[in-house]
Tab-separated table of all heavy atoms in Angstrom:
chain	number	residue	atom	x	y	z
A	78	LEU	N	-24.282	-7.664	-12.454
A	78	LEU	CA	-25.232	-7.288	-11.404
A	78	LEU	C	-26.239	-6.276	-11.938
A	78	LEU	O	-25.853	-5.252	-12.502
A	78	LEU	CB	-24.483	-6.683	-10.207
A	78	LEU	CG	-23.531	-7.616	-9.464
A	78	LEU	CD1	-22.765	-6.855	-8.393
A	78	LEU	CD2	-24.293	-8.785	-8.853
A	89	SER	N	-27.284	-0.175	0.402
A	89	SER	CA	-25.883	-0.412	0.766
A	89	SER	C	-25.463	0.467	1.937
A	89	SER	O	-24.694	0.041	2.805
A	89	SER	CB	-24.968	-0.165	-0.438
A	89	SER	OG	-25.010	1.193	-0.831
A	92	LEU	N	-26.878	-1.073	5.169
A	92	LEU	CA	-26.086	-2.224	5.601
A	92	LEU	C	-24.764	-1.772	6.212
A	92	LEU	O	-24.347	-2.299	7.252
A	92	LEU	CB	-25.822	-3.160	4.423
A	92	LEU	CG	-25.010	-4.422	4.737
A	92	LEU	CD1	-25.719	-5.276	5.775
A	92	LEU	CD2	-24.749	-5.230	3.466
A	93	PHE	N	-24.120	-0.793	5.586
A	93	PHE	CA	-22.854	-0.292	6.126
A	93	PHE	C	-23.061	0.334	7.500
A	93	PHE	O	-22.231	0.139	8.406
A	93	PHE	CB	-22.244	0.732	5.175
A	93	PHE	CG	-20.995	1.389	5.703
A	93	PHE	CD1	-19.798	0.698	5.732
A	93	PHE	CD2	-21.031	2.681	6.199
A	93	PHE	CE1	-18.644	1.292	6.246
A	93	PHE	CE2	-19.886	3.280	6.705
A	93	PHE	CZ	-18.698	2.588	6.727
A	96	VAL	N	-23.258	-2.392	10.030
A	96	VAL	CA	-21.931	-2.957	10.297
A	96	VAL	C	-21.150	-2.050	11.247
A	96	VAL	O	-20.557	-2.511	12.232
A	96	VAL	CB	-21.157	-3.156	8.981
A	96	VAL	CG1	-19.697	-3.524	9.261
A	96	VAL	CG2	-21.804	-4.235	8.130
A	188	SER	N	-12.493	1.585	-2.563
A	188	SER	CA	-13.703	1.906	-1.814
A	188	SER	C	-13.443	2.142	-0.325
A	188	SER	O	-12.882	1.298	0.374
A	188	SER	CB	-14.716	0.765	-1.960
A	188	SER	OG	-15.805	0.935	-1.088
A	190	HIS	N	-15.885	2.497	1.912
A	190	HIS	CA	-16.823	1.645	2.644
A	190	HIS	C	-16.224	0.266	2.900
A	190	HIS	O	-16.391	-0.311	3.980
A	190	HIS	CB	-18.125	1.501	1.856
A	190	HIS	CG	-19.010	2.701	1.915
A	190	HIS	ND1	-18.634	3.929	1.407
A	190	HIS	CD2	-20.255	2.879	2.417
A	190	HIS	CE1	-19.612	4.796	1.584
A	190	HIS	NE2	-20.613	4.193	2.204
A	191	MET	N	-15.499	-0.256	1.908
A	191	MET	CA	-14.899	-1.570	2.068
A	191	MET	C	-13.704	-1.525	3.011
A	191	MET	O	-13.399	-2.527	3.681
A	191	MET	CB	-14.484	-2.149	0.713
A	191	MET	CG	-15.657	-2.530	-0.178
A	191	MET	SD	-16.874	-3.586	0.656
A	191	MET	CE	-15.868	-4.979	1.163
A	193	PHE	N	-13.514	0.288	5.808
A	193	PHE	CA	-14.094	0.183	7.143
A	193	PHE	C	-14.663	-1.216	7.385
A	193	PHE	O	-14.429	-1.813	8.447
A	193	PHE	CB	-15.196	1.233	7.321
A	193	PHE	CG	-14.692	2.600	7.640
A	193	PHE	CD1	-14.401	3.503	6.635
A	193	PHE	CD2	-14.513	3.003	8.955
A	193	PHE	CE1	-13.935	4.774	6.925
A	193	PHE	CE2	-14.052	4.272	9.267
A	193	PHE	CZ	-13.759	5.155	8.243
A	194	THR	N	-15.397	-1.729	6.417
A	194	THR	CA	-16.027	-3.036	6.593
A	194	THR	C	-14.997	-4.133	6.832
A	194	THR	O	-15.124	-4.939	7.767
A	194	THR	CB	-16.881	-3.381	5.363
A	194	THR	OG1	-17.898	-2.387	5.185
A	194	THR	CG2	-17.537	-4.744	5.522
A	195	LEU	N	-13.962	-4.164	6.014
A	195	LEU	CA	-12.963	-5.226	6.137
A	195	LEU	C	-12.118	-5.076	7.400
A	195	LEU	O	-11.761	-6.077	8.028
A	195	LEU	CB	-12.075	-5.233	4.892
A	195	LEU	CG	-12.761	-5.708	3.609
A	195	LEU	CD1	-11.857	-5.494	2.398
A	195	LEU	CD2	-13.157	-7.177	3.723
A	196	VAL	N	-11.793	-3.849	7.774
A	196	VAL	CA	-11.043	-3.648	9.021
A	196	VAL	C	-11.858	-4.138	10.211
A	196	VAL	O	-11.336	-4.811	11.118
A	196	VAL	CB	-10.671	-2.159	9.186
A	196	VAL	CG1	-10.220	-1.878	10.619
A	196	VAL	CG2	-9.564	-1.775	8.222
A	198	VAL	N	-14.291	-6.417	10.173
A	198	VAL	CA	-14.437	-7.873	10.098
A	198	VAL	C	-13.141	-8.563	10.520
A	198	VAL	O	-13.162	-9.541	11.289
A	198	VAL	CB	-14.834	-8.302	8.675
A	198	VAL	CG1	-14.760	-9.823	8.529
A	198	VAL	CG2	-16.242	-7.820	8.343
A	199	LEU	N	-12.009	-8.062	10.052
A	199	LEU	CA	-10.730	-8.678	10.399
A	199	LEU	C	-10.425	-8.523	11.891
A	199	LEU	O	-9.830	-9.423	12.507
A	199	LEU	CB	-9.612	-8.045	9.565
A	199	LEU	CG	-9.620	-8.420	8.077
A	199	LEU	CD1	-8.682	-7.507	7.285
A	199	LEU	CD2	-9.223	-9.880	7.889
A	210	ILE	N	-20.800	-15.563	14.392
A	210	ILE	CA	-20.777	-14.134	14.053
A	210	ILE	C	-19.623	-13.842	13.101
A	210	ILE	O	-19.743	-13.008	12.190
A	210	ILE	CB	-20.677	-13.282	15.331
A	210	ILE	CG1	-21.917	-13.488	16.200
A	210	ILE	CG2	-20.515	-11.799	14.982
A	210	ILE	CD1	-21.920	-12.665	17.470
A	211	LYS	N	-18.503	-14.526	13.284
A	211	LYS	CA	-17.373	-14.349	12.377
A	211	LYS	C	-17.751	-14.751	10.954
A	211	LYS	O	-17.440	-14.041	9.987
A	211	LYS	CB	-16.169	-15.163	12.854
A	211	LYS	CG	-15.580	-14.697	14.173
A	211	LYS	CD	-14.406	-15.573	14.588
A	211	LYS	CE	-13.825	-15.119	15.920
A	211	LYS	NZ	-12.673	-15.956	16.332
A	212	GLN	N	-18.420	-15.893	10.827
A	212	GLN	CA	-18.851	-16.352	9.514
A	212	GLN	C	-19.876	-15.396	8.911
A	212	GLN	O	-19.837	-15.090	7.713
A	212	GLN	CB	-19.423	-17.765	9.625
A	212	GLN	CG	-18.397	-18.808	10.048
A	212	GLN	CD	-19.011	-20.165	10.338
A	212	GLN	OE1	-20.218	-20.282	10.537
A	212	GLN	NE2	-18.181	-21.205	10.355
A	213	LEU	N	-20.792	-14.911	9.748
A	213	LEU	CA	-21.798	-13.951	9.278
A	213	LEU	C	-21.144	-12.648	8.835
A	213	LEU	O	-21.565	-12.040	7.847
A	213	LEU	CB	-22.814	-13.683	10.394
A	213	LEU	CG	-23.893	-12.641	10.079
A	213	LEU	CD1	-24.761	-13.108	8.922
A	213	LEU	CD2	-24.751	-12.370	11.321
A	214	ALA	N	-20.103	-12.231	9.548
A	214	ALA	CA	-19.417	-10.986	9.208
A	214	ALA	C	-18.790	-11.052	7.817
A	214	ALA	O	-18.868	-10.092	7.032
A	214	ALA	CB	-18.344	-10.679	10.252
A	215	TRP	N	-18.173	-12.193	7.492
A	215	TRP	CA	-17.582	-12.344	6.158
A	215	TRP	C	-18.665	-12.368	5.083
A	215	TRP	O	-18.485	-11.806	3.984
A	215	TRP	CB	-16.745	-13.619	6.089
A	215	TRP	CG	-15.427	-13.489	6.779
A	215	TRP	CD1	-15.020	-14.122	7.914
A	215	TRP	CD2	-14.336	-12.651	6.384
A	215	TRP	NE1	-13.748	-13.737	8.253
A	215	TRP	CE2	-13.301	-12.841	7.332
A	215	TRP	CE3	-14.132	-11.771	5.331
A	215	TRP	CZ2	-12.083	-12.172	7.243
A	215	TRP	CZ3	-12.913	-11.103	5.247
A	215	TRP	CH2	-11.915	-11.306	6.199
A	216	LEU	N	-19.787	-12.989	5.398
A	216	LEU	CA	-20.897	-13.003	4.443
A	216	LEU	C	-21.416	-11.591	4.208
A	216	LEU	O	-21.698	-11.201	3.064
A	216	LEU	CB	-22.016	-13.908	4.969
A	216	LEU	CG	-23.297	-13.974	4.119
A	216	LEU	CD1	-22.984	-14.518	2.723
A	216	LEU	CD2	-24.360	-14.818	4.815
A	217	VAL	N	-21.542	-10.816	5.273
A	217	VAL	CA	-21.997	-9.429	5.152
A	217	VAL	C	-21.017	-8.608	4.323
A	217	VAL	O	-21.419	-7.753	3.522
A	217	VAL	CB	-22.187	-8.809	6.552
A	217	VAL	CG1	-22.405	-7.298	6.452
A	217	VAL	CG2	-23.366	-9.449	7.272
A	218	ALA	N	-19.707	-8.855	4.495
A	218	ALA	CA	-18.706	-8.126	3.708
A	218	ALA	C	-18.859	-8.412	2.217
A	218	ALA	O	-18.729	-7.505	1.382
A	218	ALA	CB	-17.303	-8.503	4.180
A	219	VAL	N	-19.148	-9.670	1.883
A	219	VAL	CA	-19.364	-10.019	0.476
A	219	VAL	C	-20.624	-9.349	-0.062
A	219	VAL	O	-20.628	-8.783	-1.166
A	219	VAL	CB	-19.462	-11.555	0.318
A	219	VAL	CG1	-19.850	-11.914	-1.107
A	219	VAL	CG2	-18.133	-12.211	0.681
A	220	ILE	N	-21.702	-9.387	0.730
A	220	ILE	CA	-22.954	-8.741	0.313
A	220	ILE	C	-22.749	-7.236	0.152
A	220	ILE	O	-23.267	-6.628	-0.798
A	220	ILE	CB	-24.067	-9.040	1.337
A	220	ILE	CG1	-24.383	-10.538	1.349
A	220	ILE	CG2	-25.321	-8.234	1.031
A	220	ILE	CD1	-25.379	-10.942	2.423
A	221	GLN	N	-22.002	-6.633	1.076
A	221	GLN	CA	-21.706	-5.202	0.980
A	221	GLN	C	-20.975	-4.886	-0.319
A	221	GLN	O	-21.272	-3.888	-0.991
A	221	GLN	CB	-20.855	-4.770	2.177
A	221	GLN	CG	-20.433	-3.310	2.178
A	221	GLN	CD	-21.562	-2.382	2.539
A	221	GLN	OE1	-22.120	-2.448	3.621
A	221	GLN	NE2	-21.901	-1.487	1.636
A	222	SER	N	-20.039	-5.728	-0.702
A	222	SER	CA	-19.296	-5.529	-1.948
A	222	SER	C	-20.230	-5.537	-3.151
A	222	SER	O	-20.144	-4.681	-4.038
A	222	SER	CB	-18.228	-6.618	-2.101
A	222	SER	OG	-17.347	-6.645	-0.997
A	223	LEU	N	-21.126	-6.514	-3.184
A	223	LEU	CA	-22.061	-6.636	-4.310
A	223	LEU	C	-23.028	-5.462	-4.367
A	223	LEU	O	-23.346	-4.946	-5.447
A	223	LEU	CB	-22.828	-7.954	-4.207
A	223	LEU	CG	-21.979	-9.229	-4.253
A	223	LEU	CD1	-22.848	-10.463	-4.055
A	223	LEU	CD2	-21.208	-9.326	-5.571
A	224	LEU	N	-23.480	-5.005	-3.199
A	224	LEU	CA	-24.423	-3.891	-3.164
A	224	LEU	C	-23.770	-2.585	-3.615
A	224	LEU	O	-24.414	-1.754	-4.268
A	224	LEU	CB	-24.990	-3.729	-1.754
A	224	LEU	CG	-26.008	-4.787	-1.302
A	224	LEU	CD1	-26.392	-4.564	0.148
A	224	LEU	CD2	-27.240	-4.749	-2.197
A	225	ILE	N	-22.509	-2.398	-3.279
A	225	ILE	CA	-21.798	-1.185	-3.704
A	225	ILE	C	-21.714	-1.123	-5.215
A	225	ILE	O	-21.941	-0.068	-5.829
A	225	ILE	CB	-20.388	-1.151	-3.065
A	225	ILE	CG1	-20.493	-0.863	-1.566
A	225	ILE	CG2	-19.517	-0.095	-3.744
A	225	ILE	CD1	-19.172	-0.936	-0.849
A	226	VAL	N	-21.400	-2.259	-5.839
A	226	VAL	CA	-21.312	-2.297	-7.301
A	226	VAL	C	-22.704	-2.175	-7.921
A	226	VAL	O	-22.897	-1.451	-8.900
A	226	VAL	CB	-20.620	-3.589	-7.764
A	226	VAL	CG1	-20.603	-3.678	-9.286
A	226	VAL	CG2	-19.192	-3.659	-7.222
A	227	ALA	N	-23.691	-2.870	-7.343
A	227	ALA	CA	-25.046	-2.848	-7.892
A	227	ALA	C	-25.675	-1.464	-7.797
A	227	ALA	O	-26.480	-1.081	-8.656
A	227	ALA	CB	-25.924	-3.870	-7.176
A	228	SER	N	-25.309	-0.700	-6.777
A	228	SER	CA	-25.835	0.655	-6.642
A	228	SER	C	-25.020	1.671	-7.429
A	228	SER	O	-25.319	2.867	-7.388
A	228	SER	CB	-25.873	1.057	-5.165
A	228	SER	OG	-24.567	1.007	-4.593
A	233	THR	N	-16.160	-2.085	-10.104
A	233	THR	CA	-15.769	-3.360	-9.488
A	233	THR	C	-14.308	-3.340	-9.060
A	233	THR	O	-13.946	-3.900	-8.019
A	233	THR	CB	-16.005	-4.524	-10.476
A	233	THR	OG1	-17.363	-4.498	-10.922
A	233	THR	CG2	-15.727	-5.859	-9.820
A	236	VAL	N	-13.675	-2.138	-5.519
A	236	VAL	CA	-13.971	-3.114	-4.466
A	236	VAL	C	-12.911	-4.212	-4.424
A	236	VAL	O	-12.461	-4.615	-3.350
A	236	VAL	CB	-15.374	-3.712	-4.685
A	236	VAL	CG1	-15.658	-4.816	-3.675
A	236	VAL	CG2	-16.440	-2.623	-4.596
A	237	VAL	N	-12.504	-4.684	-5.596
A	237	VAL	CA	-11.499	-5.754	-5.664
A	237	VAL	C	-10.173	-5.296	-5.053
A	237	VAL	O	-9.545	-6.015	-4.253
A	237	VAL	CB	-11.294	-6.213	-7.120
A	237	VAL	CG1	-10.107	-7.168	-7.219
A	237	VAL	CG2	-12.551	-6.877	-7.653
A	240	TRP	N	-10.278	-5.273	-1.303
A	240	TRP	CA	-10.219	-6.579	-0.650
A	240	TRP	C	-8.789	-7.037	-0.404
A	240	TRP	O	-8.461	-7.473	0.702
A	240	TRP	CB	-10.963	-7.626	-1.489
A	240	TRP	CG	-12.398	-7.769	-1.103
A	240	TRP	CD1	-13.466	-7.101	-1.617
A	240	TRP	CD2	-12.930	-8.633	-0.093
A	240	TRP	NE1	-14.625	-7.486	-1.006
A	240	TRP	CE2	-14.333	-8.447	-0.071
A	240	TRP	CE3	-12.377	-9.560	0.768
A	240	TRP	CZ2	-15.172	-9.135	0.809
A	240	TRP	CZ3	-13.212	-10.255	1.642
A	240	TRP	CH2	-14.591	-10.034	1.653
A	244	ASN	N	-6.594	-6.307	3.419
A	244	ASN	CA	-6.121	-7.532	4.068
A	244	ASN	C	-4.603	-7.523	4.242
A	244	ASN	O	-4.087	-7.938	5.293
A	244	ASN	CB	-6.550	-8.756	3.247
A	244	ASN	CG	-7.954	-9.218	3.571
A	244	ASN	OD1	-8.175	-9.930	4.549
A	244	ASN	ND2	-8.914	-8.807	2.759
Side-chain angles (χ1 to χ4, degrees):
L78 296 175
S89 65
L92 181 60
F93 175 75
V96 171
S188 171
H190 284 63
M191 291 309 303
F193 280 90
T194 300
L195 290 172
V196 165
V198 171
L199 289 167
I210 297 181
K211 294 179 181 180
Q212 295 172 343
L213 177 63
W215 284 112
L216 177 61
V217 169
V219 173
I220 295 175
Q221 178 75 61
S222 303
L223 299 176
L224 287 175
I225 288 175
V226 176
S228 59
T233 305
V236 175
V237 171
W240 268 91
N244 275 278

